[in-house]
């Protein structure tokens, strides 16, 4: 069942076996047989009593009544619809309407699928071309509504007389085209290149930081050594000066006596 975390994902699809085609679209949005044809009939009857001007399903040529019923049904599960805006928001589902045709576009497990009751199984839509698909519908006059809110993850009753559970690989177009495979490979290569670049950048930054730290340590060591040398030079200089100082001669020191008869002036007695 779609949305069940402990089971393989399955796609819920209903084929057009009832004139209430909007019913199949509602259940495709919710991904399960949330409403039966009787549920929708009762809901339509309630709306008709509220607004007598609304047509019945049989007279609903422009789909106005069916749209009211669809809105009321989705509101039961906390969902609402709004006209699709030019810029595609990250929506989970779209309701597409043209005359008596109702188609649901739903993203499940990151893949877009078209649930059209005219086909036996859903159709997988190529993700790169989803914008072109919407444009084609708009060009053909389809009205498209975005479905917003918290989608139910489990269906209270998985049995249905109209629908079936389909494995994703059984969907039409389940095989990816060569263009999609190439695009996926291109995206994977791009992501790998970005990852490698970031890894190299981080490694380079770590290496540069290591070099800077080493240079900073060397600079600190050089400054410390220089300060030590300067300190020894300033503190030790007075001691050396003291050792090298000449002490003054003691008073009373006798001069060297001259030889007899010499007055010490280089002359002799005459």
């Amino acid at each position: 069942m779609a949305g069940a975390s402990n089971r393989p994902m399955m796609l819920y699809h209903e084929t057009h076996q009832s004139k209430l085609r909007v019913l199949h679209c509602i259940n495709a949005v919710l991904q399960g047989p949330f409403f039966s044809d009787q549920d929708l009939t009762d809901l339509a009857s309630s709306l008709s009593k509220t607004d007598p001007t609304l047509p019945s399903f049989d007279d609903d040529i422009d789909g106005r009544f069916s749209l009211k019923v669809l809105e009321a049904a989705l509101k039961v599960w906390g969902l609402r619809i709004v006209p699709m805006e030019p810029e595609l928001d990250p929506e989970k589902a779209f309701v597409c309407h043209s005359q008596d045709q109702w188609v649901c576009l739903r993203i499940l497990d990151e893949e877009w699928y078209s649930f059209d009751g005219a086909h036996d199984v859903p159709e997988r839509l190529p993700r790169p071309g989803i914008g072109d698909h919407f444009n084609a519908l708009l060009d053909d006059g389809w009205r498209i509504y975005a479905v917003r809110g918290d989608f139910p993850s489990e269906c209270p009753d998985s049995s249905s007389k109209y629908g079936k559970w389909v494995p994703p690989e059984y969907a039409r177009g389940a095989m990816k085209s060569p263009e999609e495979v190439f695009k996926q490979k291109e995206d994977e290569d791009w992501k790998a290149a970005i990852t490698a670049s970031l890894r190299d950048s981080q490694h380079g930054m770590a290496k540069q930081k290591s070099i800077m730290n080493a240079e900073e340590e060397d600079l600190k060591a050089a400054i410390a050594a220089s300060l030590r040398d300067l300190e020894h030079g300033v503190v030790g200089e007075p001691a050396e000066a003291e050792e090298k100082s000449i002490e003054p001669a003691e008073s009373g020191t006798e001069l060297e006596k001259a030889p007899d008869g010499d007055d010490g002036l280089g002359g002799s007695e005459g």
Side-chain angles (χ1 to χ4, degrees):
M1 186 182 299
S5 57
N6 57 341
R7 307 176 190 174
M9 191 193 79
M10 300 284 280
L11 308 175
Y12 181 76
H13 182 68
E14 293 182 356
T15 54
H16 288 166
Q17 300 177 24
S18 166
K19 62 181 179 181
L20 302 178
R21 294 188 176 184
V22 69
L23 167 69
H24 310 310
C25 183
I26 293 170
N27 284 335
V29 169
L30 298 172
Q31 276 299 284
F34 284 76
F35 290 91
S36 66
D37 50 356
Q38 187 58 52
D39 293 331
L40 221 60
T41 300
D42 294 342
L43 193 58
S45 176
S46 176
L47 287 174
S48 297
K49 292 177 182 178
T50 304
D51 187 356
T53 63
L54 290 173
S56 65
F57 276 119
D58 292 331
D59 301 325
D60 189 23
I61 299 175
D62 61 357
R64 185 166 58 95
F65 182 59
S66 295
L67 183 62
K68 289 286 186 182
V69 174
L70 181 143
E71 284 185 291
L74 294 180
K75 188 176 180 181
V76 172
W77 290 94
L79 301 174
R80 62 189 179 90
I81 63 172
V82 295
M84 189 185 75
E85 299 173 355
E87 295 295 330
L88 284 176
D89 290 325
E91 313 288 358
K92 292 183 178 180
F94 291 92
V95 169
C96 308
H97 169 242
S98 176
Q99 297 180 356
D100 63 343
Q101 300 181 72
W102 293 89
V103 175
C104 167
L105 301 183
R106 188 81 155 82
I107 188 169
L108 297 163
D109 198 23
E110 299 186 359
E111 295 285 356
W112 278 102
Y113 295 91
S114 171
F115 294 86
D116 185 349
H119 303 291
D120 291 337
V121 293
E123 178 183 6
R124 177 185 165 275
L125 302 175
R127 193 179 182 90
I130 189 66
D132 295 336
H133 187 80
F134 281 113
N135 289 333
L137 290 174
L138 292 172
D139 290 343
D140 289 341
W142 286 71
R143 296 177 181 176
I144 304 178
Y145 304 88
V147 183
R148 294 178 178 172
D150 294 327
F151 289 74
S153 58
E154 290 283 353
C155 181
D157 184 8
S158 60
S159 61
S160 171
K161 64 179 181 180
Y162 295 128
K164 57 186 175 182
W165 296 98
V166 181
E169 57 268 24
Y170 287 1
R172 298 168 61 220
M175 290 292 292
K176 293 185 178 181
S177 66
E179 292 79 10
E180 288 183 272
V181 174
F182 176 78
K183 181 68 168 58
Q184 182 178 1
K185 179 69 166 56
E186 197 176 46
D187 290 344
E188 291 173 354
D189 291 344
W190 180 79
K191 289 179 181 178
I194 292 295
T195 302
S197 177
L198 289 174
R199 190 167 52 245
D200 292 344
S201 177
Q202 292 173 351
H203 177 71
M205 291 176 64
K207 185 176 180 181
Q208 183 179 4
K209 186 176 180 180
S210 176
I211 293 173
M212 291 176 64
N213 289 339
E215 289 178 347
E216 185 178 356
E217 293 299 324
D218 291 343
L219 180 59
K220 288 180 180 179
I223 292 174
S226 178
L227 289 175
R228 280 196 304 271
D229 292 345
L230 183 60
E231 182 181 356
H232 290 325
V234 172
V235 174
E237 187 174 349
E240 293 176 1
E242 186 179 349
E243 291 176 1
K244 296 178 181 179
S245 62
I246 302 175
E247 296 181 0
E250 296 181 3
S251 59
T253 301
E254 295 181 357
L255 294 174
E256 185 179 354
K257 293 182 179 181
D260 293 342
D262 190 348
D263 59 4
L265 299 175
S268 57
E269 259 179 36

